[in-house]
PDB file of all heavy atoms in Angstrom:
ATOM      1  N   ILE A  29     -19.335  24.604  28.765  1.00  0.00           N
ATOM      2  CA  ILE A  29     -18.064  25.285  29.039  1.00  0.00           C
ATOM      3  C   ILE A  29     -16.970  24.473  28.337  1.00  0.00           C
ATOM      4  O   ILE A  29     -16.811  23.271  28.593  1.00  0.00           O
ATOM      5  CB  ILE A  29     -17.820  25.428  30.557  1.00  0.00           C
ATOM      6  CG1 ILE A  29     -18.870  26.386  31.142  1.00  0.00           C
ATOM      7  CG2 ILE A  29     -16.397  25.921  30.829  1.00  0.00           C
ATOM      8  CD1 ILE A  29     -18.792  26.624  32.625  1.00  0.00           C
ATOM      9  N   SER A  31     -13.909  24.197  28.440  1.00  0.00           N
ATOM     10  CA  SER A  31     -12.772  23.636  29.167  1.00  0.00           C
ATOM     11  C   SER A  31     -13.203  22.576  30.184  1.00  0.00           C
ATOM     12  O   SER A  31     -12.386  22.123  30.973  1.00  0.00           O
ATOM     13  CB  SER A  31     -12.043  24.772  29.887  1.00  0.00           C
ATOM     14  OG  SER A  31     -12.970  25.594  30.572  1.00  0.00           O
ATOM     15  N   HIS A 122      -4.282  32.979  26.901  1.00  0.00           N
ATOM     16  CA  HIS A 122      -4.510  32.535  28.271  1.00  0.00           C
ATOM     17  C   HIS A 122      -3.785  33.448  29.250  1.00  0.00           C
ATOM     18  O   HIS A 122      -2.754  34.036  28.912  1.00  0.00           O
ATOM     19  CB  HIS A 122      -4.027  31.085  28.444  1.00  0.00           C
ATOM     20  CG  HIS A 122      -4.397  30.508  29.767  1.00  0.00           C
ATOM     21  ND1 HIS A 122      -3.491  30.283  30.766  1.00  0.00           N
ATOM     22  CD2 HIS A 122      -5.605  30.128  30.265  1.00  0.00           C
ATOM     23  CE1 HIS A 122      -4.120  29.783  31.825  1.00  0.00           C
ATOM     24  NE2 HIS A 122      -5.395  29.674  31.544  1.00  0.00           N
ATOM     25  N   SER A 171      -7.077  29.765  24.833  1.00  0.00           N
ATOM     26  CA  SER A 171      -8.243  29.188  25.528  1.00  0.00           C
ATOM     27  C   SER A 171      -9.542  29.507  24.817  1.00  0.00           C
ATOM     28  O   SER A 171     -10.573  28.957  25.166  1.00  0.00           O
ATOM     29  CB  SER A 171      -8.360  29.622  26.987  1.00  0.00           C
ATOM     30  OG  SER A 171      -7.550  30.639  27.311  1.00  0.00           O
ATOM     31  N   ALA A 198      -3.576  22.876  26.253  1.00  0.00           N
ATOM     32  CA  ALA A 198      -4.583  22.503  27.255  1.00  0.00           C
ATOM     33  C   ALA A 198      -5.962  22.253  26.639  1.00  0.00           C
ATOM     34  O   ALA A 198      -6.635  21.285  26.993  1.00  0.00           O
ATOM     35  CB  ALA A 198      -4.682  23.594  28.314  1.00  0.00           C
ATOM     36  N   HIS A 199      -6.367  23.098  25.718  1.00  0.00           N
ATOM     37  CA  HIS A 199      -7.710  22.917  25.150  1.00  0.00           C
ATOM     38  C   HIS A 199      -7.814  21.738  24.179  1.00  0.00           C
ATOM     39  O   HIS A 199      -8.614  20.832  24.384  1.00  0.00           O
ATOM     40  CB  HIS A 199      -8.197  24.222  24.509  1.00  0.00           C
ATOM     41  CG  HIS A 199      -9.037  25.008  25.461  1.00  0.00           C
ATOM     42  ND1 HIS A 199     -10.396  24.880  25.524  1.00  0.00           N
ATOM     43  CD2 HIS A 199      -8.690  25.892  26.421  1.00  0.00           C
ATOM     44  CE1 HIS A 199     -10.870  25.655  26.470  1.00  0.00           C
ATOM     45  NE2 HIS A 199      -9.851  26.296  27.034  1.00  0.00           N
ATOM     46  N   THR A 222      -3.355  20.879  30.361  1.00  0.00           N
ATOM     47  CA  THR A 222      -4.124  20.420  31.508  1.00  0.00           C
ATOM     48  C   THR A 222      -4.537  18.994  31.190  1.00  0.00           C
ATOM     49  O   THR A 222      -4.409  18.528  30.052  1.00  0.00           O
ATOM     50  CB  THR A 222      -5.393  21.267  31.722  1.00  0.00           C
ATOM     51  OG1 THR A 222      -6.095  21.339  30.484  1.00  0.00           O
ATOM     52  CG2 THR A 222      -5.057  22.660  32.192  1.00  0.00           C
ATOM     53  N   LYS A 225      -9.520  18.738  30.388  1.00  0.00           N
ATOM     54  CA  LYS A 225     -10.395  19.284  29.340  1.00  0.00           C
ATOM     55  C   LYS A 225     -10.677  18.169  28.337  1.00  0.00           C
ATOM     56  O   LYS A 225     -11.347  17.210  28.679  1.00  0.00           O
ATOM     57  CB  LYS A 225      -9.739  20.515  28.710  1.00  0.00           C
ATOM     58  CG  LYS A 225      -9.526  21.652  29.729  1.00  0.00           C
ATOM     59  CD  LYS A 225      -9.010  22.908  29.069  1.00  0.00           C
ATOM     60  CE  LYS A 225      -8.874  24.045  30.062  1.00  0.00           C
ATOM     61  NZ  LYS A 225      -7.542  24.167  30.655  1.00  0.00           N
ATOM     62  N   ASN A 354     -19.634  30.200  29.113  1.00  0.00           N
ATOM     63  CA  ASN A 354     -19.068  31.433  29.665  1.00  0.00           C
ATOM     64  C   ASN A 354     -19.045  32.565  28.659  1.00  0.00           C
ATOM     65  O   ASN A 354     -18.857  32.351  27.460  1.00  0.00           O
ATOM     66  CB  ASN A 354     -17.672  31.199  30.256  1.00  0.00           C
ATOM     67  CG  ASN A 354     -16.667  30.727  29.248  1.00  0.00           C
ATOM     68  OD1 ASN A 354     -16.696  29.574  28.825  1.00  0.00           O
ATOM     69  ND2 ASN A 354     -15.778  31.619  28.846  1.00  0.00           N
ATOM     70  N   ARG A 372     -18.372  31.718  24.610  1.00  0.00           N
ATOM     71  CA  ARG A 372     -17.582  30.586  24.127  1.00  0.00           C
ATOM     72  C   ARG A 372     -18.406  29.323  24.366  1.00  0.00           C
ATOM     73  O   ARG A 372     -18.937  29.124  25.454  1.00  0.00           O
ATOM     74  CB  ARG A 372     -16.271  30.535  24.921  1.00  0.00           C
ATOM     75  CG  ARG A 372     -15.280  29.520  24.422  1.00  0.00           C
ATOM     76  CD  ARG A 372     -14.052  29.445  25.318  1.00  0.00           C
ATOM     77  NE  ARG A 372     -14.363  28.985  26.666  1.00  0.00           N
ATOM     78  CZ  ARG A 372     -13.464  28.574  27.559  1.00  0.00           C
ATOM     79  NH1 ARG A 372     -12.177  28.594  27.245  1.00  0.00           N
ATOM     80  NH2 ARG A 372     -13.822  28.175  28.758  1.00  0.00           N
TER      81      ARG A 372
HETATM   82  N1  DSN B   1      -9.769  28.581  32.486  1.00  0.00           N
HETATM   83  C1  DSN B   1      -9.552  27.716  31.369  1.00  0.00           C
HETATM   84  C2  DSN B   1     -10.585  27.868  30.318  1.00  0.00           C
HETATM   85  O1  DSN B   1     -11.737  27.953  30.670  1.00  0.00           O
HETATM   86  O2  DSN B   1     -10.255  27.865  29.143  1.00  0.00           O
HETATM   87  C3  DSN B   1      -8.213  27.863  30.809  1.00  0.00           C
HETATM   88  O3  DSN B   1      -7.278  27.575  31.791  1.00  0.00           O
END
Side-chain angles (χ1 to χ4, degrees):
I29 293 179
S31 47
H122 188 252
S171 12
H199 265 268
T222 51
K225 298 186 177 94
N354 62 286
R372 187 185 64 166

